[in-house]
Amino acid sequence: MTHADTRARYDELVQPERVHGSLYTSPEVFADELARIWYSTWVYVGHVSEVAKPNDYVRKAIGPQDVIMSRSADGEVHLLLNRCAHRGNLVCEAAAGNSSSFRCAYHGWTYRNSGELVGYPFHQGYGGRGKLDLGLGRVPRVAVHQGFVFGSFAPDGPSLAEHLGDAAGEIDRLVRLSPEGEIELTAGWLQHRARANWKLLAENETDGYHPQFVHASIFSVAESGIGALYGEKSSAVTRAFGHGHSENDLRPEFRRLGAPLGWFGTTEERMPGYVAAMRAAHGEAAQEILVEGAPHVMIFPNLFIAEIQMFTIQPLAHDVTVQHVTAVQLKGAPEMNRRMLQQCVGSVGPAGLLLADDTEMYERNQVGLGELRPEWVDVRRGSHREHVDERGHTVGGATDETAMRGFWAHYRELMTR
Amino acid sequence: MSSVVDLDIRTVERFLYREARLADEHRYEEWEALWTDDALYWVPAGSDDADPMTRMSVVHDNRNRIATRIKQFRTGRRHSQIPASRLRRVVSNVEVLDEAVGEDVVVEANFVLVESRERGTHVWAGRCTYRLRLVDGELRMSYKKVALVDNARVLPTMSFLI
């Protein structure tokens, strides 16, 4: 098929209120997505706190592509392809570490942690020392917002700021929960495999319709107030930011409650050190920050911040996705961090009281979608009651599929470009 | 330090085999009753000894959260266990270590566990560390750590009792 043919095809497969099931089940669609989304748009890769010291490195990924996130001695963060420029061997085997260079085990080629080739054995074979100008491949564009490192394989295109748009403000809302204005990802990652298409995960992250059903078991036994946030009577909203980003904005409910740290299921009295540090750092604004809490935002295509948890979605094939998850840690807030970690561990990952059931749903969805009878998936919920807010974003009710429609509108744009 | 409780290996094995069978057969209440009040059920992630107070774990349940986990199964709406995984594990290489924690005897054993679900069959394996204690003449566990051989890799859903 020519490019024009496939453009017309995606125009047809993604419609405003329904999408075609083959988008989740076709290896050809997945190959197109790698080219037009994962290797074109901005993708979240890692956080600067994961390479805190000079010469720190960590292995990351953009889709199936192995990427090394390194910090050179001058403090700059690099995204390098984990592939020797000579014969393609991995140059970095360890998951993380500290080194000023990477050395290929196959023929001993050595690269600086900023990607330049520094040496190769038996140089006469290349006409003498310094004659080769091969370096490690690199992600052409790297940009950082509040310590969140994004990469884009497209050498040109919208800036990260343009890509994030107003969704950047949600990252800002997260970091201002730290008395020092920074988060850290230092707790390591759980890696949870779903035999399902990555878009099922991305859609579900801000789907406010499912929690009361998928998570009824834990809501009922843990006496959580979360279920009520996603009900027909909730004043929370779902917002599509454009560029495929979306959020469940729970602030109306938390404001109604008016209790500092109510969003986190605790009280000021139980977190006295944190509350004092926040009031010292933010003055009068602290009250609002403590009441409104953390964002619940999906940044297209792969970063999901669920209050105290951070997820990255990594697609490996049309029907295999890895969800990486860690607890957000707030710089300067040790008592909050202990509790955030333990809550996060209870909720997410392969044995999580919440997420194991989401993953079950993704996998059952994938099985059902494979049937392709009927062919279409419906995403019309709430489209008759949406409105556009003062910033120009589409807003629906707490349980509406406004976020999903925003995701698909952007998907269609990228896939038909 | 020698243990305050003198347990022979057969007594230890009988306990471990029973614990394994109750978990395999989803006999949640009987399994829960094996725990002491100060229980800790831990499945590390990333490495066998990542500090659970600062690093992510697959499971890090105190006694209260073990109870919540069991209650969740009993709601009949723990979807990732509907239908329940078919499970059978072999427990072997049982060793009573020459150390004690308070009044608890420290025991280690290897396991291999086959899980069958609609998504397919998965083999789980690792080494468990238990702390066993006599409470009113009955053996109980105060600690179970499950060091999975693949705890640094990508894992499928593991919502049964491992």
Side-chain angles (χ1 to χ4, degrees), chain B residues 24-37:
Chain B
D24 283 348
E25 297 178 358
H26 309 282
R27 289 161 68 174
Y28 301 127
E29 287 77 14
E30 291 166 87
W31 183 84
E32 186 182 357
L34 299 178
W35 289 98
T36 60
D37 292 341

PDB file of all heavy atoms in Angstrom, chain B residues 24-37:
ATOM      1  N   ASP B  24      -1.965 -23.069  46.818  1.00  0.00           N
ATOM      2  CA  ASP B  24      -2.289 -23.633  45.496  1.00  0.00           C
ATOM      3  C   ASP B  24      -3.798 -23.817  45.322  1.00  0.00           C
ATOM      4  O   ASP B  24      -4.330 -23.660  44.220  1.00  0.00           O
ATOM      5  CB  ASP B  24      -1.624 -25.006  45.309  1.00  0.00           C
ATOM      6  CG  ASP B  24      -0.143 -24.906  45.006  1.00  0.00           C
ATOM      7  OD1 ASP B  24       0.331 -23.784  44.712  1.00  0.00           O
ATOM      8  OD2 ASP B  24       0.544 -25.946  45.071  1.00  0.00           O
ATOM      9  N   GLU B  25      -4.462 -24.168  46.394  1.00  0.00           N
ATOM     10  CA  GLU B  25      -5.894 -24.498  46.301  1.00  0.00           C
ATOM     11  C   GLU B  25      -6.788 -23.326  46.695  1.00  0.00           C
ATOM     12  O   GLU B  25      -7.996 -23.483  46.864  1.00  0.00           O
ATOM     13  CB  GLU B  25      -6.179 -25.738  47.164  1.00  0.00           C
ATOM     14  CG  GLU B  25      -5.415 -26.954  46.630  1.00  0.00           C
ATOM     15  CD  GLU B  25      -5.603 -28.218  47.463  1.00  0.00           C
ATOM     16  OE1 GLU B  25      -6.314 -28.161  48.500  1.00  0.00           O
ATOM     17  OE2 GLU B  25      -5.011 -29.247  47.077  1.00  0.00           O
ATOM     18  N   HIS B  26      -6.183 -22.124  46.850  1.00  0.00           N
ATOM     19  CA  HIS B  26      -6.961 -20.907  47.148  1.00  0.00           C
ATOM     20  C   HIS B  26      -7.803 -21.069  48.412  1.00  0.00           C
ATOM     21  O   HIS B  26      -8.927 -20.582  48.481  1.00  0.00           O
ATOM     22  CB  HIS B  26      -7.838 -20.537  45.941  1.00  0.00           C
ATOM     23  CG  HIS B  26      -7.078 -20.464  44.648  1.00  0.00           C
ATOM     24  ND1 HIS B  26      -6.287 -19.394  44.297  1.00  0.00           N
ATOM     25  CD2 HIS B  26      -6.956 -21.367  43.647  1.00  0.00           C
ATOM     26  CE1 HIS B  26      -5.716 -19.639  43.117  1.00  0.00           C
ATOM     27  NE2 HIS B  26      -6.090 -20.826  42.706  1.00  0.00           N
ATOM     28  N   ARG B  27      -7.245 -21.749  49.378  1.00  0.00           N
ATOM     29  CA  ARG B  27      -7.955 -21.907  50.660  1.00  0.00           C
ATOM     30  C   ARG B  27      -7.533 -20.747  51.555  1.00  0.00           C
ATOM     31  O   ARG B  27      -6.707 -20.869  52.453  1.00  0.00           O
ATOM     32  CB  ARG B  27      -7.635 -23.284  51.254  1.00  0.00           C
ATOM     33  CG  ARG B  27      -8.332 -24.382  50.404  1.00  0.00           C
ATOM     34  CD  ARG B  27      -7.753 -25.732  50.612  1.00  0.00           C
ATOM     35  NE  ARG B  27      -8.006 -26.262  51.958  1.00  0.00           N
ATOM     36  CZ  ARG B  27      -7.676 -27.493  52.329  1.00  0.00           C
ATOM     37  NH1 ARG B  27      -7.126 -28.318  51.442  1.00  0.00           N
ATOM     38  NH2 ARG B  27      -7.913 -27.900  53.553  1.00  0.00           N
ATOM     39  N   TYR B  28      -8.144 -19.599  51.209  1.00  0.00           N
ATOM     40  CA  TYR B  28      -7.654 -18.316  51.719  1.00  0.00           C
ATOM     41  C   TYR B  28      -7.672 -18.213  53.238  1.00  0.00           C
ATOM     42  O   TYR B  28      -6.718 -17.755  53.851  1.00  0.00           O
ATOM     43  CB  TYR B  28      -8.462 -17.170  51.108  1.00  0.00           C
ATOM     44  CG  TYR B  28      -8.401 -17.118  49.599  1.00  0.00           C
ATOM     45  CD1 TYR B  28      -9.568 -17.077  48.840  1.00  0.00           C
ATOM     46  CD2 TYR B  28      -7.177 -17.123  48.938  1.00  0.00           C
ATOM     47  CE1 TYR B  28      -9.509 -17.031  47.450  1.00  0.00           C
ATOM     48  CE2 TYR B  28      -7.111 -17.080  47.554  1.00  0.00           C
ATOM     49  CZ  TYR B  28      -8.281 -17.027  46.809  1.00  0.00           C
ATOM     50  OH  TYR B  28      -8.227 -16.985  45.445  1.00  0.00           O
ATOM     51  N   GLU B  29      -8.777 -18.605  53.884  1.00  0.00           N
ATOM     52  CA  GLU B  29      -8.872 -18.432  55.344  1.00  0.00           C
ATOM     53  C   GLU B  29      -7.853 -19.304  56.069  1.00  0.00           C
ATOM     54  O   GLU B  29      -7.204 -18.865  57.012  1.00  0.00           O
ATOM     55  CB  GLU B  29     -10.285 -18.758  55.854  1.00  0.00           C
ATOM     56  CG  GLU B  29     -11.317 -17.707  55.514  1.00  0.00           C
ATOM     57  CD  GLU B  29     -11.760 -17.774  54.055  1.00  0.00           C
ATOM     58  OE1 GLU B  29     -11.471 -18.798  53.381  1.00  0.00           O
ATOM     59  OE2 GLU B  29     -12.360 -16.799  53.574  1.00  0.00           O
ATOM     60  N   GLU B  30      -7.730 -20.543  55.591  1.00  0.00           N
ATOM     61  CA  GLU B  30      -6.772 -21.444  56.249  1.00  0.00           C
ATOM     62  C   GLU B  30      -5.344 -20.940  56.053  1.00  0.00           C
ATOM     63  O   GLU B  30      -4.512 -21.029  56.954  1.00  0.00           O
ATOM     64  CB  GLU B  30      -6.912 -22.866  55.691  1.00  0.00           C
ATOM     65  CG  GLU B  30      -8.215 -23.545  56.081  1.00  0.00           C
ATOM     66  CD  GLU B  30      -8.459 -24.787  55.237  1.00  0.00           C
ATOM     67  OE1 GLU B  30      -7.968 -25.869  55.614  1.00  0.00           O
ATOM     68  OE2 GLU B  30      -9.121 -24.662  54.181  1.00  0.00           O
ATOM     69  N   TRP B  31      -5.081 -20.393  54.861  1.00  0.00           N
ATOM     70  CA  TRP B  31      -3.745 -19.845  54.597  1.00  0.00           C
ATOM     71  C   TRP B  31      -3.495 -18.644  55.496  1.00  0.00           C
ATOM     72  O   TRP B  31      -2.431 -18.513  56.108  1.00  0.00           O
ATOM     73  CB  TRP B  31      -3.635 -19.474  53.114  1.00  0.00           C
ATOM     74  CG  TRP B  31      -2.276 -18.971  52.698  1.00  0.00           C
ATOM     75  CD1 TRP B  31      -1.204 -19.721  52.346  1.00  0.00           C
ATOM     76  CD2 TRP B  31      -1.854 -17.598  52.583  1.00  0.00           C
ATOM     77  NE1 TRP B  31      -0.139 -18.908  52.006  1.00  0.00           N
ATOM     78  CE2 TRP B  31      -0.513 -17.600  52.152  1.00  0.00           C
ATOM     79  CE3 TRP B  31      -2.486 -16.375  52.801  1.00  0.00           C
ATOM     80  CZ2 TRP B  31       0.220 -16.430  51.933  1.00  0.00           C
ATOM     81  CZ3 TRP B  31      -1.762 -15.206  52.588  1.00  0.00           C
ATOM     82  CH2 TRP B  31      -0.419 -15.239  52.162  1.00  0.00           C
ATOM     83  N   GLU B  32      -4.484 -17.771  55.596  1.00  0.00           N
ATOM     84  CA  GLU B  32      -4.321 -16.569  56.414  1.00  0.00           C
ATOM     85  C   GLU B  32      -4.075 -16.949  57.884  1.00  0.00           C
ATOM     86  O   GLU B  32      -3.314 -16.276  58.587  1.00  0.00           O
ATOM     87  CB  GLU B  32      -5.561 -15.665  56.295  1.00  0.00           C
ATOM     88  CG  GLU B  32      -5.371 -14.335  57.003  1.00  0.00           C
ATOM     89  CD  GLU B  32      -6.593 -13.425  56.956  1.00  0.00           C
ATOM     90  OE1 GLU B  32      -7.607 -13.786  56.328  1.00  0.00           O
ATOM     91  OE2 GLU B  32      -6.528 -12.340  57.574  1.00  0.00           O
ATOM     92  N   ALA B  33      -4.713 -18.040  58.327  1.00  0.00           N
ATOM     93  CA  ALA B  33      -4.584 -18.449  59.729  1.00  0.00           C
ATOM     94  C   ALA B  33      -3.175 -18.940  60.065  1.00  0.00           C
ATOM     95  O   ALA B  33      -2.843 -19.102  61.244  1.00  0.00           O
ATOM     96  CB  ALA B  33      -5.612 -19.541  60.039  1.00  0.00           C
ATOM     97  N   LEU B  34      -2.342 -19.167  59.051  1.00  0.00           N
ATOM     98  CA  LEU B  34      -0.960 -19.598  59.325  1.00  0.00           C
ATOM     99  C   LEU B  34      -0.089 -18.444  59.819  1.00  0.00           C
ATOM    100  O   LEU B  34       1.006 -18.672  60.336  1.00  0.00           O
ATOM    101  CB  LEU B  34      -0.325 -20.181  58.051  1.00  0.00           C
ATOM    102  CG  LEU B  34      -0.981 -21.414  57.438  1.00  0.00           C
ATOM    103  CD1 LEU B  34      -0.238 -21.806  56.158  1.00  0.00           C
ATOM    104  CD2 LEU B  34      -0.988 -22.576  58.435  1.00  0.00           C
ATOM    105  N   TRP B  35      -0.564 -17.227  59.631  1.00  0.00           N
ATOM    106  CA  TRP B  35       0.269 -16.064  59.951  1.00  0.00           C
ATOM    107  C   TRP B  35       0.162 -15.664  61.424  1.00  0.00           C
ATOM    108  O   TRP B  35      -0.878 -15.818  62.045  1.00  0.00           O
ATOM    109  CB  TRP B  35      -0.160 -14.858  59.098  1.00  0.00           C
ATOM    110  CG  TRP B  35       0.207 -14.975  57.641  1.00  0.00           C
ATOM    111  CD1 TRP B  35      -0.601 -15.385  56.630  1.00  0.00           C
ATOM    112  CD2 TRP B  35       1.469 -14.654  57.048  1.00  0.00           C
ATOM    113  NE1 TRP B  35       0.083 -15.348  55.427  1.00  0.00           N
ATOM    114  CE2 TRP B  35       1.347 -14.899  55.653  1.00  0.00           C
ATOM    115  CE3 TRP B  35       2.688 -14.192  57.554  1.00  0.00           C
ATOM    116  CZ2 TRP B  35       2.405 -14.698  54.767  1.00  0.00           C
ATOM    117  CZ3 TRP B  35       3.735 -13.985  56.668  1.00  0.00           C
ATOM    118  CH2 TRP B  35       3.583 -14.242  55.288  1.00  0.00           C
ATOM    119  N   THR B  36       1.248 -15.088  61.947  1.00  0.00           N
ATOM    120  CA  THR B  36       1.203 -14.471  63.272  1.00  0.00           C
ATOM    121  C   THR B  36       0.655 -13.037  63.123  1.00  0.00           C
ATOM    122  O   THR B  36       0.484 -12.537  62.009  1.00  0.00           O
ATOM    123  CB  THR B  36       2.617 -14.378  63.887  1.00  0.00           C
ATOM    124  OG1 THR B  36       3.422 -13.564  63.004  1.00  0.00           O
ATOM    125  CG2 THR B  36       3.242 -15.753  64.039  1.00  0.00           C
ATOM    126  N   ASP B  37       0.428 -12.392  64.245  1.00  0.00           N
ATOM    127  CA  ASP B  37      -0.141 -11.025  64.204  1.00  0.00           C
ATOM    128  C   ASP B  37       0.849  -9.987  63.676  1.00  0.00           C
ATOM    129  O   ASP B  37       0.445  -8.926  63.214  1.00  0.00           O
ATOM    130  CB  ASP B  37      -0.579 -10.597  65.611  1.00  0.00           C
ATOM    131  CG  ASP B  37      -1.776 -11.412  66.085  1.00  0.00           C
ATOM    132  OD1 ASP B  37      -2.460 -12.007  65.218  1.00  0.00           O
ATOM    133  OD2 ASP B  37      -2.016 -11.470  67.303  1.00  0.00           O
TER     134      ASP B  37
END
